[in-house]
């Protein structure tokens, strides 16, 4: 029988095994990683908006 895990199940299993089968520690680590990823994505988006705004301002001065 071939059991295929969804992506979410595979990630959860990885965290569970890495936490030595402690569900609470696995959950906390997964949430911590997700929050860190969201923070990094937010910082990236802010930097992209800053660069775009700077580009528009520079184009207006040169135009």
């Amino acid at each position: 029988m071939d059991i295929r895990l969804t992506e979410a199940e595979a990630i959860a299993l990885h965290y569970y095994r890495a936490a030595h089968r402690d569900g609470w520690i696995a959950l906390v680590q997964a949430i911590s990683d997700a929050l860190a990823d969201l923070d990094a994505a937010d910082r990236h988006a802010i930097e992209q908006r800053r660069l775009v705004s700077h580009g528009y301002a520079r184009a207006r001065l040169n135009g």
Side-chain angles (χ1 to χ4, degrees):
M1 179 178 197
D2 187 23
I3 298 174
R4 295 176 192 251
L5 299 176
T6 66
E7 186 176 6
E9 290 169 331
I11 291 168
L13 183 58
H14 169 80
Y15 277 99
Y16 183 69
R17 287 178 175 164
H20 305 286
R21 294 177 167 39
D22 184 320
W24 178 253
I25 291 174
L27 176 63
V28 170
Q29 188 60 55
I31 292 170
S32 294
D33 287 352
L35 290 173
D37 288 347
L38 284 172
D39 186 51
D42 284 344
R43 285 193 315 272
H44 180 72
I46 289 167
E47 179 64 13
Q48 288 297 326
R49 285 193 298 270
R50 187 188 70 75
L51 291 173
V52 168
S53 295
H54 182 72
Y56 283 132
R58 189 182 316 167
R60 287 185 183 165
L61 291 174
N62 294 331

